[in-house]
Amino acid sequence: MVRSNCMKKNKIKLSYIIIVLFVLFFSILCILPFWYVLISSLSDPLLLKTGDVRLLPNGFSLQSYKIVLTERKFYQGFLITMTRTVLGTALGLTVQAMTAYVLSRKYFQARKLCISLIIFTILFNGGIIPNFIVVQELGLIDTIWALILPMVFNPWNVMLLISFFGAIPDSIEESAKLDGANDFIVFCKLAVPLSRPALMTILLFIAVRHWNELMDGVIYINSNLLKPMQVYLIELIMRTSVQNMVEPTENFVTALSIQTTAIFVSCIPILILYPIVQKHFVKGIMIGGVKG
Amino acid sequence: MNSASLPARFGKRMLKDKYLYLMILPGIVFMVLFRYLPMGGLIIAFKDFSFRKGIWGSDWVGLENFKFIFTQNPDFYSIVQNTLVINLLRLIFFFPFPIIVALMINELRGKRLKKFVQTTVYLPYFVSWVVFGGIIMQFLSPTGVANQILQLFGHKAIPFMQEAVYFKGIVVATDIWKNAGWSTIMYLSALTAIDQEIYEAAKIDGASGLQTIFHITIPGISDTIVVLLLLQIGAIMDVGFEQIYVLCKPILYQTGDVISTYIYRIGIGNAQFSMTAAIGLFQSFVGLIMILLANTACRKLFDKSLW
Amino acid sequence: MKVKLSIKILALALSVVMAVSLAACGSSDNTVPNNSSAGTENTGVSNAATPADTTERPKITVLTNINVDTEGTDVNDNDYIKYVEDKTNVDIELINDTSSSYTQKLYTVMASNNLPDAVMLMGDTQRADLARFAEEEMLVNLDGYVKNYPNLSKNIKQEAWNVAKYNGSIYAVPFQRYDSTPYMTFVRKNWMEALNIDPAKIVTIDDWYNMLKRFVTDDPDKNGKKDTIGITATTSGTHFTNFTFLDSFGAAKDKYVNGELLPNYILPEYKDWLKFMNKLYSEGILDPNFIVDDPSTLWDKVTSDKYGSFLWFWGLTEYQSKGYDRSDYVAMKPPVHKDGSPASYVYSSPNRHMMAITTECKNVDAVLKVWDWAASDEGGIFIFAGVEGKDYTVKDGKIILLDDRKGKNIGWRQLTLGVQQPNVDHEPIYSILKQSYGEQGMHDLALANECGSYNTLSLYCPTFSELSKYDFTKAVQEFTDKAIVGDINIDAEWDSYVANWRKNGGDEKIKLSTEWYKNSEYNTGK
C-alpha cells in the first residue's frame, strides 16, 4: 500500500517537472522578443543595429521616447484612442454579449438562421472601398464614430461567446423563470455574473483590438485632430526613415528605435488591463447552486 | 397542425420571446449595416471597376475576372498551393499548441509561477511583424546567431531565408512563437468554467491526472475548441499578409508567395479592385464549403457543431 | 454584476467627458466636410495673430503625403503654410496621409463622393494612377492652362512634363527633382588610400572588379583578418540598390531589338550582368546577406567599417547625422560600357511625384497660381532657404542661413507646396543649397546629375490598362535574386525564364509597347 503510493507520487512528480520545464522554456522564449523591443527602444539610436540580440541596451538613450512622447499630436492621438477604446468596448461588449446570449438559447426560433448569417459575415467581406462607402453614406467620415460603430458587431467574438453562454445549465434558467424572471433579467442577473471570465476575456480582446487598430484611422479620418494614436505612430515611423534620407538632423533616431518605442506604448493598455482580467479567471464560480 | 395557425403560432412565440428578440435587435442592426451592406460591394468581382462610375455603375464583365484568374494566370495555382499548405501546417501544429499550453498552465501549482507564465506568453503578440520579422531575418541570416551556433558545431552556414525547404516551417514556427500565447487566454478562460465539483468527484473516484485531463478537462472546453477549429477551417484560403510580406523575399516567391501578398502586389500596384474582389470571393467560397463540411463531420463524430 | 455595471457606467461617463472636451477644443476642424470642394478654413488655437480675411481668398484642398518632421505643428497651421497662403493669396487646406498606405488612401478618396481639388500621385504607381484617373475623366486636362503659367512651363523640363501626359495631353504638374538622378556609388576613401588605388583610374568594369576584389583579399582595414566585403546592396524586391553595374553592361534600359521593344530584364545584356553579379557574390565580394537584409540595415553596415562601397542617395544625410564626415567616401562614376562610352546610374523618373487637379475643382487657376509661385525663384528661395527671420537673414543682398536651420525642413516646404523650382544651378538658389550641403555635397550633386539618366522608353511608354492584371515583376525579381546567389545555372535557365515571361503577358506587353514605339517620337529609325 505504502509503496504503491510512493511510486504514484514519483510518477506524478516527473510529469509535473516536464510540464514546468516546458512551460518555463516557452515563457522565456516569449519574453525574448519583447525584451529585444524594450532594449532597442532604450538603446542609443546611433549604436542600434537591427536584430542585435543583447541583454542590455547598447548605450542608453531616451531619445526615441522623448520624440514619441513630447509631441502634442501624440496626446491628441492618445485621447482619441482612449475614447474609442472605452466607448467601443462598452458598446461592443454589450451588443455582442446580448446577441450571443440570445443565440445560446436553443429554443430561440431564429437561432439557426442568425448563426448562419453571422458565420457568413465571418467568411465574406466587402473590402475596403465598399466599407468606406457605407461609412461615408452614414455620414460618419471624419467623426470618432467611424472608429467605433463599425467594430461594434464582431461575429467572431459572438461565436465564442455563444459557446461560453451555452455552458450555463438550463436548470438555473428554468428555476429563475419559475420565479417570474423574464429573459432580460435572467441575462443580467444570472448569465452575466456566471460568465464573468468569458466576458472579461472578450472585453480584453475588444479593447486590445481597438487600441491597436490602424486602417480605420487611415481610411475614415481626414482631419489631423481625430487621428488615433496608431496612425500617429505609423506616420512617425514613416517620417523618421524618410526624414533621415532628406535632411541631416542633430537628434538622429532610426526608424527601428521609434518602432520599438511605439510597440511599447501600444502595449500599455494590455499590460494594465490583463492583470485585472486575470483576477476574474477564478475557477468554479459557477453552479454551486441548483441541485435537483 | 393546420397551416392557418402557423403565423399565429409564430406571433405567439415571438411574443413569448419578446425580450430575446429585443436583445438581439441591436446586434442584427449593426451586422446588417456594417457587414451586409458592404457585402453588396462584392459585386465588383463581376464588374470592371471604374472610379467614376462607382460600384453600381461599373460595367458587367460576368465571369471574366474569374476566367483570367483560373486559366490565364499561371501563378495562381502555386499561390493557392502555398496558402493551403501553410494553413494545413498551421491546423496541425499551431492549433493544438495553445490548448496544450493552457492545459499545462492549468496544472501548475503555485500562484506566482502560474501568474508569471500567464503574463509572459502573450507578450510577443504585441510585437509587430515588421519588428518581429526583422529579428527573425537577422537571427537566421548567413552571419546571424543561428548560423554562428551551427558553425560552432562545425556545420556549414545555412542561408535559411534563402532556401525554399525551410520557409513554410519557419512561417509556422514563428507564428506559434508570436501568437500562440495570446490564444491561450481563450482556453484559460474556458477552463475556469468547468465545474469544480466534477473534479472533486473524479479525485474521489481515484482518477489519475491524465485521465482527468482526457475525460473532464478537454470535454469541458470542447465547445470552445470546436468553435475555434471550425472558424480556423473556414479561413483555410487565407494567410495573413504582414508575416509573409516581411519574411518572404523574392528569391522564395515560388514557395512563399500567398494569396494575400499576391493581391497586395496587383491590387495596390494596379488598383485592380475587380480582380482582388474576385480572388476574395474565391477564398470566401472555399472557406464556406470547408466549414460546412467540417461542421457536418463534427456533428457526426462528436455531436457538436456550430449550427 | 454590480461591480461590472458600475465600472461600465464610470467608463461611459469618462468617455462622454472626453468626447465633450474633444469637441470643445479645435472644433472647427472636426466638422464633417460638406460636399463643396472648398474645404474648411484654418482656425486653430494659435491663430490669433492672423489678420482677418478682408476679401474672400479662394480656397483649395489638396490630398498630400507630407512625411517629414513638422516640429510639433499641424501641417495646416504653421509658419510655412501661412507664408505661402499670404504670398499666393490662396487658402490651402491639406489632407495629409503619411502612413505607408497612402495609395489606399488615394483610392478611397477618389472613390468617395467628396474629391479634393488636387491630389498627389506618388510612388511606383503614379503613372498608372494618372492614366487611369485621366481615362475616367476625373482629372483636369491642363494643356490649355500651363502656357499661362510661365514659371511652370519654363522651369520644369519637357522630359518631366512628358511623364505627366496621358494620350498626349498633360494631366498633372510634375514635381521634378532638382537632383535629376539621386544615386551614386560611394567608395571608402581610406581603403583606397591603404591599397594605393587612385579613384580616377577606376574606369572600366574590370577596374572595379579588381578594386573590389582587393577590398576582400588585401585586408584594407589592416586588422589582420579577412573580414571585409567589397560592396553591399539589397534584394531586388525592395529599393533595388544593386545597379552600380547595370547600365555598364547595357542592361538598364529597354531596347528596340529585331522589331520588338524589349524590357531591359529580358535582354541578353541582363544575362551578362547577372553572371557578373553572381561572380561577385560567389567570390565574397558582394555582401552575402544582401538577399535577406532590409534596406534599413544599410547604415549599420556602412558604419561598421567592414564594407568597401555601397550605392545610395547622393545626400548621405544619414551618415552625417550619425556624426560621420561625408569625406570618408568618394562618389564615383559608374564603370564605362564595354565600348568605352560613359555609362550612367539609371533612375526611374525625373519626377518624385505628380500633382493632379480633379474635375471637382472649382478654381483651377487658384491651384495653378500656387504651383506657379512654387516653381518660381521666389518659391525656390522659400523651399531651399525658408522664411526670412525664422530660417535665414539677408546680409549685403545675400541670403545667409541661420546655423541651426541649415538643411532643415526643405522636405517639409517642398511637400507643402507639392511643386518646386527644379533648377538650382543659378543664384541665389545655388549658394543657398551650398550652405546646406557643403562643397563636397554640391560636387556630388553635380556628379549625380552628370552620371544620371532614365530608362526613357520605359518611362514614356503608356501604362496599358489591359496589362494591369499581370504581375510582371515577380518572376523577374525571383530569377534575378536566384541567379545572383547562384541557386540556378544562369545559362541553362535563361531561355526558359524569357519564354515563361513572354507567355505570361510578356508577349502582349511587347506587342503594345512596340506599336507605341513605332509611332512615337522616340523611334530612332534603327
Side-chain angles (χ1 to χ4, degrees):
Chain A
M1 214 61 230
V2 174
R3 203 191 297 157
S4 68
N5 266 342
C6 258
M7 278 181 66
K8 225 190 196 173
K9 269 217 198 105
N10 285 337
K11 256 210 193 127
I12 296 173
K13 270 234 143 154
L14 182 62
S15 60
Y16 183 71
I17 290 177
I18 295 178
I19 289 179
V20 172
L21 284 177
F22 180 84
V23 150
L24 272 181
F25 173 71
F26 188 60
S27 280
I28 293 177
L29 206 63
C30 290
I31 294 180
L32 285 180
F34 206 74
W35 188 253
Y36 165 80
V37 165
L38 176 62
I39 296 302
S40 299
S41 66
L42 292 172
S43 292
D44 188 347
L46 288 173
L47 302 171
L48 179 64
K49 294 190 197 316
T50 313
D52 198 11
V53 179
R54 39 176 58 235
L55 223 52
L56 291 171
N58 196 353
F60 187 80
S61 162
L62 288 175
Q63 182 68 356
S64 46
Y65 281 95
K66 234 197 285 177
I67 291 183
V68 171
L69 296 176
T70 56
E71 263 197 42
R72 199 191 72 203
K73 285 188 247 185
F74 172 77
Y75 295 99
Q76 224 159 261
F78 186 85
L79 204 62
I80 299 286
T81 298
M82 239 335 219
T83 310
R84 70 167 290 180
T85 303
V86 171
L87 282 177
T89 308
L91 205 54
L93 186 62
T94 313
V95 170
Q96 288 165 32
M98 285 202 299
T99 309
Y101 175 75
V102 170
L103 294 176
S104 68
R105 302 299 97 196
K106 296 208 170 56
Y107 51 81
F108 182 63
Q109 274 181 309
R111 181 174 188 263
K112 279 207 168 168
L113 174 65
C114 285
I115 292 186
S116 318
L117 288 177
I118 291 177
I119 293 184
F120 203 75
T121 71
I122 295 181
L123 296 168
F124 291 86
N125 189 331
I128 291 199
I129 300 246
N131 276 294
F132 173 82
I133 293 181
V134 168
V135 172
Q136 175 185 259
E137 294 304 309
L138 289 171
L140 302 176
I141 298 290
D142 246 357
T143 67
I144 200 166
W145 299 104
L147 305 175
I148 296 173
L149 298 182
M151 278 172 64
V152 165
F153 183 80
N154 183 321
W156 202 82
N157 289 350
V158 170
M159 294 308 299
L160 255 187
L161 279 173
I162 292 177
S163 79
F164 285 137
F165 278 130
I168 303 175
D170 299 328
S171 43
I172 297 190
E173 192 184 341
E174 278 162 21
S175 59
K177 283 199 169 153
L178 277 174
D179 287 343
N182 64 34
D183 285 304
F184 187 65
I185 294 186
V186 174
F187 171 69
C188 290
K189 291 209 184 284
L190 284 178
V192 165
L194 286 176
S195 313
R196 195 175 296 149
L199 291 172
M200 286 291 116
T201 309
I202 299 295
L203 182 145
L204 192 69
F205 287 169
I206 301 177
V208 168
R209 177 89 188 274
H210 266 290
W211 193 267
N212 291 329
E213 189 64 23
L214 172 67
M215 273 322 267
D216 57 4
V218 171
I219 301 293
Y220 299 142
I221 303 290
N222 295 326
S223 157
N224 286 324
L225 288 172
L226 277 176
K227 289 192 177 163
M229 190 183 67
Q230 288 297 336
V231 175
Y232 166 72
L233 288 174
I234 208 99
E235 294 183 354
L236 184 54
I237 291 170
M238 278 304 293
R239 85 156 192 237
T240 305
S241 39
V242 173
Q243 176 97 346
N244 288 343
M245 245 178 37
V246 169
E247 302 170 3
T249 161
E250 312 95 42
N251 301 320
F252 182 78
V253 210
T254 57
L256 182 64
S257 32
I258 301 284
Q259 273 168 331
T260 47
T261 307
I263 289 177
F264 235 80
V265 169
S266 304
C267 284
I268 293 174
I270 172 72
L271 293 177
I272 297 177
L273 205 54
Y274 190 68
I276 301 177
V277 168
Q278 249 186 338
K279 280 204 203 107
H280 292 274
F281 281 6
V282 175
K283 277 197 216 180
I285 50 163
M286 265 243 262
I287 346 290
V290 182
K291 296 210 169 105
Chain B
M1 286 285 171
N2 59 43
S3 49
S5 72
L6 210 74
R9 266 195 307 150
F10 189 75
K12 207 166 157 207
R13 193 72 226 234
M14 265 195 89
L15 215 61
K16 185 159 179 275
D17 287 339
K18 66 175 179 287
Y19 284 102
L20 291 181
Y21 280 99
L22 278 176
M23 286 203 290
I24 205 176
L25 190 62
I28 300 288
V29 167
F30 276 103
M31 181 176 75
V32 167
L33 271 183
F34 294 105
R35 292 265 161 182
Y36 275 97
L37 278 188
M39 248 195 244
L42 284 174
I43 279 189
I44 297 183
F46 303 98
K47 294 188 171 205
D48 185 16
F49 180 71
S50 149
F51 280 95
R52 172 154 277 261
K53 297 184 191 155
I55 296 179
W56 305 112
S58 293
D59 304 323
W60 281 98
V61 293
L63 295 175
E64 237 185 72
N65 291 323
F66 292 95
K67 224 197 296 175
F68 176 78
I69 296 169
F70 289 120
T71 62
Q72 288 173 281
N73 186 353
D75 269 336
F76 194 63
Y77 291 102
S78 79
I79 42 183
V80 168
Q81 187 184 342
N82 291 338
T83 309
L84 275 178
V85 171
I86 289 179
N87 274 334
L88 277 170
L89 289 174
R90 278 224 193 113
L91 272 173
I92 299 171
F93 294 105
F94 185 113
F95 187 78
F97 199 88
I99 303 176
I100 297 173
V101 172
L103 289 173
M104 286 192 183
I105 295 178
N106 199 39
E107 293 294 312
L108 293 177
R109 312 169 210 142
K111 255 180 131 186
R112 268 188 294 168
L113 178 63
K114 218 168 173 175
K115 254 197 164 175
F116 171 76
V117 175
Q118 273 183 311
T119 320
T120 50
V121 292
Y122 68 73
L123 289 177
Y125 175 77
F126 287 93
V127 180
S128 62
W129 269 118
V130 175
V131 174
F132 195 77
I135 302 175
I136 302 292
M137 296 301 273
Q138 284 299 311
F139 188 76
L140 296 175
S141 80
T143 53
V145 175
N147 276 314
Q148 285 171 23
I149 297 178
L150 269 181
Q151 282 167 324
L152 234 97
F153 287 103
H155 206 287
K156 208 169 70 120
I158 304 177
F160 290 103
M161 296 315 280
Q162 290 171 214
E163 305 272 315
V165 66
Y166 301 106
F167 183 74
K168 295 197 174 78
I170 291 177
V171 165
V172 177
T174 51
D175 196 12
I176 293 177
W177 183 2
K178 182 178 174 326
N179 292 324
W182 181 252
S183 305
T184 63
I185 297 182
M186 276 181 304
Y187 296 108
L188 286 173
S189 156
L191 282 169
T192 64
I194 301 178
D195 191 357
Q196 278 300 89
E197 294 198 347
I198 306 183
Y199 279 119
E200 322 256 295
K203 224 188 273 184
I204 295 174
D205 285 348
S208 73
L210 219 59
Q211 283 176 320
T212 321
I213 291 179
F214 276 103
H215 293 277
I216 300 177
T217 318
I218 293 188
I221 57 172
S222 58
D223 282 335
T224 311
I225 295 181
V226 166
V227 170
L228 292 172
L229 179 64
L230 289 177
L231 291 180
Q232 183 92 334
I233 291 178
I236 200 140
M237 266 303 177
D238 201 358
V239 171
F241 165 77
E242 257 204 287
Q243 178 186 17
I244 306 293
Y245 183 71
V246 172
L247 293 178
C248 182
K249 299 293 175 191
I251 199 174
L252 289 183
Y253 274 162
Q254 191 60 28
T255 183
D257 200 25
V258 294
I259 295 182
S260 54
T261 44
Y262 174 75
I263 287 181
Y264 174 77
R265 278 196 314 271
I266 65 164
I268 297 296
N270 303 316
Q272 275 297 308
F273 293 114
S274 299
M275 204 63 71
T276 56
I279 297 176
L281 258 186
F282 164 71
Q283 286 176 294
S284 304
F285 264 115
V286 172
L288 180 63
I289 295 175
M290 291 301 294
I291 213 177
L292 286 172
L293 288 175
N295 191 54
T296 318
C298 257
R299 200 187 312 132
K300 297 238 160 88
L301 287 172
F302 308 114
D303 200 26
K304 285 186 187 295
S305 58
L306 282 179
W307 77 114
Chain C
M1 200 263 13
K2 273 214 176 112
V3 174
K4 195 157 145 291
L5 194 59
S6 59
I7 289 180
K8 277 214 201 131
I9 295 176
L10 186 69
L12 246 128
L14 204 69
S15 27
V16 166
V17 167
M18 279 194 260
V20 167
S21 55
L22 260 174
C25 60
S27 55
S28 48
D29 285 62
N30 277 5
T31 54
V32 178
N34 52 32
N35 279 335
S36 88
S37 54
T40 54
E41 234 182 309
N42 287 337
T43 57
V45 184
S46 56
N47 234 353
T50 314
D53 283 323
T54 45
T55 56
E56 272 290 304
R57 293 212 281 215
K59 300 177 198 144
I60 63 174
T61 51
V62 183
L63 175 68
T64 185
N65 177 302
I66 294 184
N67 49 10
V68 291
D69 190 358
T70 56
E71 295 177 334
T73 64
D74 188 83
V75 286
N76 282 314
D77 186 16
N78 57 75
D79 293 334
Y80 295 133
I81 200 167
K82 281 202 212 112
Y83 181 83
V84 172
E85 286 175 333
D86 287 337
K87 279 284 172 175
T88 57
N89 209 31
V90 174
D91 265 338
I92 305 172
E93 181 187 323
L94 302 173
I95 301 172
N96 190 35
D97 175 73
T98 74
S99 70
S100 43
S101 335
Y102 178 79
T103 323
Q104 289 267 42
K105 180 77 177 176
L106 174 67
Y107 294 156
T108 43
V109 165
M110 293 306 275
S112 76
N113 59 12
N114 190 9
L115 299 186
D117 293 313
V119 292
M120 185 188 275
L121 302 170
M122 275 196 46
D124 295 330
T125 63
Q126 54 180 276
R127 289 186 59 230
D129 292 339
L130 178 81
R132 177 148 190 175
F133 295 134
E135 183 185 27
E136 301 206 24
E137 293 167 15
M138 300 177 82
L139 301 179
V140 174
N141 184 328
L142 297 176
D143 278 345
Y145 289 92
V146 175
K147 54 187 185 315
N148 299 331
Y149 292 91
N151 290 310
L152 289 177
S153 38
K154 243 192 332 147
N155 294 338
I156 298 179
K157 63 188 180 188
Q158 193 56 41
E159 286 172 290
W161 283 112
N162 287 345
V163 183
K165 285 188 184 167
Y166 170 74
N167 259 358
S169 293
I170 296 175
Y171 279 91
V173 177
F175 179 97
Q176 182 195 327
R177 308 181 61 101
Y178 66 82
D179 48 353
S180 57
T181 53
Y183 286 95
M184 299 288 304
T185 307
F186 290 95
V187 183
R188 284 197 83 93
K189 199 190 279 183
N190 62 347
W191 284 15
M192 287 202 283
E193 284 166 0
L195 299 181
N196 283 322
I197 299 175
D198 179 5
K201 296 228 170 72
I202 307 294
V203 172
T204 65
I205 294 173
D206 284 332
D207 293 335
W208 275 83
Y209 171 74
N210 289 327
M211 172 177 73
L212 295 176
K213 180 115 194 164
R214 289 190 65 197
F215 280 166
V216 176
T217 57
D218 290 359
D219 191 26
D221 61 348
K222 310 254 182 261
N223 67 349
K225 288 195 272 196
K226 269 233 173 80
D227 58 354
T228 46
I229 310 272
I231 184 167
T232 184
T234 50
T235 164
S236 63
T238 58
H239 232 2
F240 194 6
T241 57
N242 226 339
F243 50 84
T244 301
F245 302 103
L246 196 59
D247 190 49
S248 313
F249 278 87
K253 299 190 188 182
D254 295 4
K255 225 156 83 162
Y256 186 65
V257 175
N258 290 338
E260 287 184 313
L261 181 61
L262 302 178
N264 67 313
Y265 46 78
I266 58 169
L267 295 172
E269 290 89 329
Y270 194 79
K271 179 162 61 145
D272 294 332
W273 173 77
L274 282 177
K275 290 210 237 177
F276 179 73
M277 294 301 288
N278 174 241
K279 184 163 175 220
L280 292 183
Y281 183 82
S282 53
E283 294 182 15
I285 300 174
L286 175 60
D287 183 357
N289 282 0
F290 91 95
I291 288 283
V292 295
D293 277 350
D294 190 70
S296 64
T297 58
L298 177 65
W299 299 107
D300 298 340
K301 294 189 203 178
V302 169
T303 53
S304 73
D305 300 341
K306 292 280 169 235
Y307 297 83
S309 55
F310 61 95
L311 183 137
W312 197 246
F313 184 57
W314 67 273
L316 273 196
T317 38
E318 293 101 322
Y319 191 64
Q320 292 171 92
S321 298
K322 278 189 172 238
Y324 295 85
D325 195 333
R326 70 179 299 150
S327 61
D328 291 343
Y329 282 90
V330 178
M332 306 265 294
K333 292 195 207 187
V336 295
H337 289 131
K338 294 239 169 89
D339 62 3
S341 59
S344 44
Y345 296 118
V346 175
Y347 194 60
S348 52
S349 167
N351 306 326
R352 177 192 184 274
H353 62 259
M354 302 193 277
M355 303 297 292
I357 301 182
T358 66
T359 45
E360 264 189 43
C361 176
K362 299 204 169 44
N363 195 340
V364 174
D365 283 302
V367 179
L368 289 172
K369 189 161 123 184
V370 175
W371 293 348
D372 187 67
W373 179 83
S376 69
D377 269 350
E378 201 185 2
I381 293 175
F382 165 73
I383 286 179
F384 296 113
V387 168
E388 185 172 353
K390 179 183 164 85
D391 302 295
Y392 66 86
T393 55
V394 182
K395 273 199 205 111
D396 306 321
K398 290 204 150 214
I399 292 174
I400 310 287
L401 298 179
L402 298 175
D403 270 330
D404 57 345
R405 304 300 279 179
K406 277 191 193 154
K408 266 184 112 56
N409 298 329
I410 293 182
W412 181 5
R413 296 188 294 266
Q414 282 171 321
L415 297 172
T416 298
L417 284 167
V419 172
Q420 73 172 357
Q421 155 66 294
N423 303 317
V424 300
D425 48 4
H426 58 279
E427 298 301 333
I429 297 182
Y430 184 82
S431 8
I432 294 173
L433 264 189
K434 187 153 155 202
Q435 289 175 59
S436 301
Y437 289 111
E439 185 82 49
Q440 174 147 9
M442 296 311 280
H443 169 266
D444 290 349
L445 169 61
L447 194 62
N449 283 338
E450 189 193 322
C451 306
S453 70
Y454 311 112
N455 184 349
T456 318
L457 295 176
S458 169
L459 179 60
Y460 296 121
C461 184
T463 57
F464 300 103
S465 52
E466 34 290 55
L467 297 177
S468 57
K469 52 187 186 271
Y470 293 109
D471 181 6
F472 287 118
T473 53
K474 173 174 167 178
V476 175
Q477 288 170 1
E478 192 176 348
F479 185 78
T480 302
D481 281 3
K482 281 196 169 148
I484 297 179
V485 164
D487 275 357
I488 51 176
N489 182 322
I490 301 174
D491 282 316
E493 305 272 343
W494 176 260
D495 291 328
S496 57
Y497 152 72
V498 175
N500 275 330
W501 181 84
R502 276 181 175 265
K503 206 167 52 154
N504 301 326
D507 273 332
E508 214 177 313
K509 176 175 159 86
I510 290 177
K511 187 167 84 104
L512 291 167
S513 333
T514 308
E515 227 175 275
W516 162 78
Y517 174 77
K518 291 209 178 118
N519 300 321
S520 77
E521 65 204 76
Y522 307 100
N523 189 346
T524 54
K526 273 200 252 180

